[in-house]
Amino acid sequence: MKKLITLFVCSLSLFSFSQVSGTLVDQAGKPISYATIILEQTQQGVISNDKGEYEIKPKSTGNYTFAFQFLGYKTERKNVQYEGKPLTLDVVLQEEEFQLDDIVIKVGKNPADEIIRRAIANKTKNTQGAASFSADFYSKGMIKSLKIPKFAQDKVYVGEDKASGLDSLGQGILYLSETVSELKYQKPNQLKEHIVASKISGNNSGYSFNTADESMYDFYDNQFRMADFDIQMISPLANQAFSFYRFNLEATFKDNGVVINKIKVTPKVKNQPVFFGDIYIVDDTAALYGVDLTVTGVSLQQPFLESIAISQNFFYNEANQTWVKRSQTLDMLINLFGFKGQGVFLSVFNNYNFTPNFTRADFGKEVLSFAKDANKKDDDFWTNQRLYPLTVEESKDYQFKDSIRERIESPAYRDSIRMVRNRFDVLAPITGYRYRSKKEHFTLNYDGLIELDKIGFNTVQGFYMGTGLSATWYEKDKKSYTRAAANVNYGFASERFRAYGTLSHQFNDLNKSSVYVRGGTKIEQFHKDNISEVFNSLFSLLFRKNFAKYYNNEEAYVGYKGKFVDEAISLGAEVGYEQRKPLFNNANGSFYTGSRAYTSNDPTAPLNDLSAPIELHHVYKFKVGANINLGMTYISYPEERWYIRNAKYPKINVGYEKAFGGSENRYNYDLVTAGIKQDITLGNKGEFSYAVKGGHFFHGKDIAYVDRKHFSGNETHLNIENDRMSSFNLLPYYSLSTNKSYLETHLEYNFKGFIMNRLPLLKWTGWNVVAGYHNAATSEAKVYQEFTVGLSNIGIGSMKGFRVDYVRAYQGSAFFKDGFMFGFKKDF
């Protein structure tokens, strides 16, 4: 009975506060979703929900003309005398009577091509009226599960909360959110949004992530990036559109006396970053009237995506004599490993002002801001501001999740959950344990004995294992805290126990400053970025190849980190002491049954088990470094800022390191380093990446082997964990280590289908050609070079993410070696 009452209340909530409401259906009585409803005498507009329902509230009484618009149907206009009372206005839309009778088709000419050429030629004219504007904006985002495998239904989380409301088939709403914003826009790409209200189902302290940025796709542009995917989509109205699309005039129709052309858009090659579907062009001005296009996951090179459908509706604004976007719908289908989902993001633009008189102060580093009480608006506010009526399912989701939120935020419930989570069971010493205080101002965490990254094998320690213990004390603001952590490690063959600890404090200040003290004893590789402990364990045990080489380090450091100039500069400095001791092999075990023997722990003498590259010594160090990110922008939340890196500018880093007070004078040196790297998108022609870094040692003639520059090599033929823009493919570990000047360069060009899409047969694979060049130069050895060419995005269906490269290496001008590298593409 309670469920029936709840459903009844949800149903009533759709209409009880509406002023003018109704349902849009077609001639067969089928609801029409995402139609646009406009008050023609005003700039007010809404869209219908997936049940065809709509709500709109005129700002004053009077006579209004309601226009009901949906692509493929005749625009219906209703004259209504609004008296300030609730009014029901149901509408049946008639399918458009398309015709081609009035079109004269000349032999050898495609009328659609002529229309598209006019649309391209008139792009500047058709956009100049909306080149600068302010507007009110409403958006709604919903992510819905269509299928979740049984085994995973209890493991699906949204943020930190377990997904609620899923049925037995794993179907239900995972995320539901609405925003009301004020926009300022100026071509070509200046957008500032101030969110007045934000609502998330089941969360009254969070902020929506569906913002206006994803509603600004402009098909008048030649190219644009869609949904933050790293690829530039080619518009059907791009200057080079005829190289990518075929066009066919399907029909014409009239809307309020204006002739509209419906043109079918078909890509010439489906795997390119292109759309398919229909666009609607106004006949006399060649302006956009509507867009109903789809892009596949294959075109976006995102195998987990089935498709993204985008629909845009435009209206004619008399004031600036321009067809202007009224609404947009983005419908995304996801399919990955048995998980199926749908994301629908709807947006409506209202109350345009096309003469805003912006000044330079209107557009700066702040691109998005939230009002102080944005997530505290009551139901009456949303009833009056909502431009897309809730369905029964959405109303139920709000009520269900909000009731759960109220329950779990109650002190009694939080205490009960905390007590359950804090319970120490018999397996805790093995699996780990976490404790939280009553108001979560203190947490204690024990890692247990089965942490995979703390268990392994190397020839110095043999089998080893470790664990960690940490405690954190939070201040009242929860943004400043003190943390103490310790890690212990034991090697069974070396019979050696090591411990290392850190004590740090994070300040809640403008610069996000932190100070720390760290120290203890640990086993370290001579080159920390050489090979991961997991990989070294696997190659040692399976193939008897011990690539990692170690020394014992006893150290103590004190340091500082902070961010300055709107986080454009990240600065770190530390000073400390290190004592280094040589280590030797103590273990010979392996599952490998061949005759191969382990090499020594000395990378300079791999066949001498009694040799070591260092002797016992100590040294003091001072280090300072800065990362520089130019053009940073930020989002302003009521209590903090989130900064966003600007991809138009490179990342720059500089550093200085001084070793002093060594046990012998030869261990002292100065090192200056610098680096720069960037990814540059080249439209539909791919992406170019570069990284250059170098350094120079002063007074470093006989410094310790530990302190030399060691290049990141690779002898595994696997590129699974390596950053290709900072490492080499076939360079033997430690082969170019230097204590003098050095420079390394990494270049890579990912054609993103620009080549493959033009090759017969291969263009259907969706693979990408990738070419690269890597260079390591020192002042004491011949230049090492690698030339690479490979295929990325290899695979079938949702498993497209593998990469294979052929590498040819040279030492100076002489051939060194070649081989294949296997791994994953960068964004897999």
Side-chain angles (χ1 to χ4, degrees):
M1 185 64 180
K2 289 183 178 179
K3 291 183 178 179
L4 290 175
I5 293 174
T6 301
L7 285 173
F8 180 68
V9 171
C10 291
S11 300
L12 286 179
S13 68
L14 294 174
F15 303 104
S16 57
F17 298 101
S18 301
Q19 297 303 320
V20 178
S21 61
T23 303
L24 273 70
V25 298
D26 61 16
Q27 291 167 282
K30 183 179 178 181
I32 298 178
S33 308
Y34 315 138
T36 302
I37 299 92
I38 301 172
L39 293 182
E40 292 200 328
Q41 295 85 346
T42 72
Q43 291 203 42
Q44 282 185 265
V46 299
I47 50 179
S48 62
N49 64 19
D50 57 1
K51 304 296 184 183
E53 301 158 339
Y54 73 93
E55 299 173 350
I56 189 167
K57 181 181 180 181
K59 294 182 178 180
S60 61
T61 60
N63 189 47
Y64 290 93
T65 300
F66 287 72
F68 301 86
Q69 179 186 9
F70 188 69
L71 297 178
Y73 290 80
K74 289 182 179 180
T75 299
E76 186 75 22
R77 287 175 170 80
K78 299 284 188 180
N79 292 320
V80 174
Q81 181 65 37
Y82 175 65
E83 298 178 351
K85 299 177 181 179
L87 177 65
T88 299
L89 187 60
D90 296 327
V91 176
V92 178
L93 294 186
Q94 308 290 323
E95 288 191 31
E96 191 60 67
E97 294 178 357
F98 297 126
Q99 59 185 25
L100 292 172
D101 298 341
D102 298 331
I103 300 174
V104 178
I105 300 177
K106 298 181 180 179
V107 176
K109 289 194 174 182
N110 182 348
D113 290 351
E114 296 300 318
I115 296 170
I116 294 296
R117 287 192 179 94
R118 285 198 299 115
I120 294 172
N122 286 293
K123 285 195 296 184
T124 301
K125 180 180 178 181
N126 286 325
T127 57
Q128 62 186 5
S132 179
F133 65 81
S134 62
D136 293 334
F137 178 78
Y138 167 84
S139 70
K140 178 178 177 181
M142 180 183 67
I143 299 175
K144 184 176 182 179
S145 166
L146 302 179
K147 180 183 178 182
I148 297 179
K150 275 282 187 184
F151 73 89
Q153 289 183 19
D154 292 334
K155 301 177 178 63
V156 175
Y157 285 77
V158 179
E160 295 183 354
D161 301 322
K162 191 172 180 180
S164 304
L166 300 183
D167 62 19
S168 60
L169 299 177
Q171 297 178 347
I173 295 176
L174 300 176
Y175 173 85
L176 177 61
S177 157
E178 297 173 276
T179 61
V180 174
S181 310
E182 298 169 349
L183 303 184
K184 295 178 180 179
Y185 176 78
Q186 188 165 284
K187 272 187 172 293
N189 53 13
Q190 296 276 20
L191 174 64
K192 186 172 183 178
E193 179 177 9
H194 178 65
I195 295 183
V196 177
S198 171
K199 182 178 178 67
I200 303 176
S201 182
N203 185 348
N204 69 344
S205 59
Y207 297 95
S208 308
F209 65 76
N210 44 298
T211 61
D213 185 55
E214 301 295 347
S215 299
M216 302 303 293
Y217 302 132
D218 191 347
F219 284 89
Y220 286 113
D221 290 339
N222 290 329
Q223 301 165 9
F224 56 85
R225 183 171 294 181
M226 192 169 184
D228 288 333
F229 295 121
D230 193 21
I231 194 166
Q232 293 281 336
M233 299 300 300
I234 301 167
S235 170
L237 297 185
N239 294 341
Q240 68 275 33
F242 290 98
S243 297
F244 297 91
Y245 296 102
R246 295 185 181 92
F247 301 99
N248 180 53
L249 181 59
E250 291 190 308
T252 63
F253 62 92
K254 290 184 178 181
D255 179 11
N256 206 25
V258 177
V259 177
I260 310 297
N261 300 293
K262 180 184 180 184
I263 298 176
K264 184 177 182 180
V265 177
T266 306
K268 290 184 175 180
V269 180
K270 294 181 179 179
N271 289 336
Q272 291 182 329
V274 290
F275 299 91
F276 67 90
D278 298 302
I279 58 174
Y280 298 77
I281 305 293
V282 180
D283 191 65
D284 59 348
T285 62
L288 275 173
Y289 172 86
V291 169
D292 190 9
L293 296 170
T294 300
V295 56
T296 65
V298 173
S299 293
L300 284 168
Q301 297 192 357
Q302 300 295 332
F304 64 89
L305 272 177
E306 286 190 3
S307 64
I308 300 179
I310 180 169
S311 175
Q312 295 180 345
N313 289 281
F314 293 73
F315 77 101
Y316 186 70
N317 184 270
E318 292 284 354
N320 63 350
Q321 297 183 340
T322 302
W323 288 84
V324 183
K325 186 192 304 179
R326 169 64 73 188
S327 64
Q328 176 182 288
T329 302
L330 204 68
D331 194 339
M332 181 185 306
L333 292 176
I334 303 168
N335 189 349
L336 179 65
F337 303 132
F339 294 82
K340 292 186 178 181
Q342 180 183 25
V344 180
F345 297 88
L346 311 163
S347 54
V348 181
F349 297 82
N350 272 333
N351 300 322
Y352 278 104
N353 175 12
F354 294 105
T355 55
N357 295 320
F358 291 140
T359 65
R360 181 176 296 182
D362 286 298
F363 299 101
K365 294 181 179 181
E366 184 184 68
V367 294
L368 176 65
S369 62
F370 288 80
K372 185 176 181 180
D373 59 347
N375 55 8
K376 307 299 181 186
K377 301 297 184 182
D378 57 24
D379 290 341
D380 287 344
F381 173 89
W382 287 104
T383 299
N384 291 323
Q385 296 295 325
R386 184 173 285 127
L387 302 181
Y388 175 92
L390 299 178
T391 63
V392 172
E393 181 184 28
E394 291 166 342
S395 294
K396 183 178 179 181
D397 187 75
Y398 270 134
Q399 291 191 354
F400 177 64
K401 290 179 180 175
D402 287 346
S403 65
I404 291 178
R405 173 186 54 78
E406 291 176 1
R407 180 168 62 90
I408 65 177
E409 288 182 352
S410 66
Y413 182 84
R414 294 176 69 89
D415 281 348
S416 65
I417 292 297
R418 181 180 59 83
M419 293 176 65
V420 170
R421 291 177 175 174
N422 288 347
R423 187 176 297 136
F424 191 91
D425 58 44
V426 294
L427 294 178
I430 298 174
T431 60
Y433 174 72
R434 183 176 179 86
Y435 171 84
R436 296 182 181 182
S437 64
K438 187 172 183 178
K439 293 186 178 180
E440 297 191 2
H441 288 300
F442 172 74
T443 63
L444 178 68
N445 189 70
Y446 163 63
D447 293 340
L449 298 175
I450 55 175
E451 285 277 316
L452 293 180
D453 62 340
K454 293 183 174 66
I455 300 174
F457 173 88
N458 61 60
T459 53
V460 172
Q461 295 178 289
F463 285 100
Y464 64 84
M465 64 186 302
T467 189
L469 182 69
S470 64
T472 305
W473 295 265
Y474 292 92
E475 309 259 339
K476 289 183 179 180
D477 57 15
K478 292 288 187 76
K479 294 175 183 176
S480 55
Y481 57 87
T482 301
R483 186 174 188 268
N487 286 284
V488 295
N489 173 277
Y490 181 77
F492 288 92
S494 60
E495 298 181 344
R496 176 70 189 273
F497 176 86
R498 294 177 174 86
Y500 196 90
T502 302
L503 177 65
S504 62
H505 180 75
Q506 172 75 51
F507 297 95
N508 180 23
D509 62 2
L510 181 64
N511 300 324
K512 297 186 177 179
S513 304
S514 65
V515 293
Y516 60 86
V517 177
R518 59 183 178 88
T521 303
K522 59 183 176 179
I523 182 173
E524 284 194 296
Q525 295 188 44
F526 290 103
H527 179 33
K528 297 179 178 62
D529 297 325
N530 191 34
I531 184 172
S532 75
E533 298 299 331
V534 173
F535 264 47
N536 185 66
S537 297
L538 291 174
F539 274 88
S540 297
L541 293 173
L542 298 179
F543 307 108
R544 202 183 290 274
K545 291 185 176 183
N546 55 324
F547 296 124
K549 308 299 177 182
Y550 299 94
Y551 70 100
N552 189 82
N553 191 22
E554 296 178 4
E555 67 178 18
Y557 274 91
V558 57
Y560 166 84
K561 293 179 181 179
K563 297 182 178 182
F564 303 89
V565 194
D566 290 333
E567 296 195 13
I569 299 176
S570 298
L571 182 67
E574 62 179 13
V575 61
Y577 166 85
E578 296 184 27
Q579 184 186 75
R580 292 84 168 260
K581 297 178 182 179
L583 295 174
F584 302 90
N585 286 346
N586 292 293
N588 192 43
S590 176
F591 300 118
Y592 179 76
T593 58
S595 60
R596 184 184 299 122
Y598 282 124
T599 57
S600 75
N601 190 50
D602 184 352
T604 66
L607 301 181
N608 187 346
D609 286 328
L610 301 178
S611 175
I614 62 170
E615 57 187 21
L616 175 64
H617 68 280
H618 71 258
V619 68
Y620 293 88
K621 280 193 174 185
F622 169 72
K623 304 175 185 178
V624 61
N627 293 316
I628 303 170
N629 291 293
L630 303 175
M632 294 279 281
T633 58
Y634 61 84
I635 299 173
S636 294
Y637 292 94
E639 298 178 354
E640 62 180 327
R641 287 179 178 178
W642 282 12
Y643 284 85
I644 307 168
R645 199 184 75 81
N646 192 332
K648 293 181 180 179
Y649 299 94
K651 296 180 181 179
I652 302 170
N653 66 79
V654 293
Y656 170 71
E657 181 177 308
K658 182 176 183 62
F660 60 97
S663 51
E664 294 183 30
N665 192 55
R666 66 187 180 93
Y667 293 121
N668 301 333
Y669 66 90
D670 296 270
L671 171 64
V672 177
T673 61
I676 183 172
K677 62 180 180 179
Q678 186 180 15
D679 298 327
I680 303 174
T681 300
L682 302 173
N684 65 313
K685 295 178 177 61
E687 180 182 77
F688 173 69
S689 303
Y690 69 89
V692 180
K693 55 184 175 181
H696 178 73
F697 288 89
F698 297 89
H699 320 297
K701 182 178 179 180
D702 295 313
I703 62 175
Y705 190 76
V706 173
D707 297 316
R708 290 183 172 224
K709 162 63 180 178
H710 304 291
F711 294 90
S712 296
N714 195 337
E715 298 179 55
T716 68
H717 289 280
L718 297 176
N719 250 332
I720 295 178
E721 56 181 4
N722 290 7
D723 177 6
R724 292 181 177 86
M725 298 308 295
S726 63
S727 63
F728 295 87
N729 295 280
L730 300 178
L731 179 67
Y733 303 118
Y734 301 108
S735 61
L736 290 179
S737 299
T738 183
N739 57 352
K740 298 181 180 179
S741 300
Y742 67 89
L743 179 70
E744 63 177 298
T745 303
H746 304 273
L747 309 175
E748 184 172 280
Y749 197 118
N750 189 334
F751 289 88
K752 297 277 187 180
F754 183 67
I755 290 180
M756 294 291 284
N757 288 339
R758 286 160 174 77
L759 300 178
L761 298 181
L762 291 178
K763 65 184 179 182
W764 305 111
T765 64
W767 300 349
N768 293 331
V769 175
V770 184
Y773 173 75
H774 306 268
N775 177 299
T778 69
S779 57
E780 55 189 344
K782 293 181 179 180
V783 174
Y784 175 83
Q785 303 177 85
E786 291 180 349
F787 298 88
T788 70
V789 61
L791 294 174
S792 181
N793 208 42
I794 299 173
I796 300 174
S798 60
M799 291 300 293
K800 275 190 176 179
F802 300 98
R803 174 170 167 173
V804 178
D805 291 270
Y806 171 71
V807 184
R808 192 169 181 86
Y810 293 83
Q811 190 84 49
S813 59
F815 171 74
F816 178 68
K817 65 190 299 187
D818 64 351
F820 287 93
M821 301 297 295
F822 304 90
F824 301 112
K825 69 176 186 177
K826 181 173 65 174
D827 55 348
F828 184 60

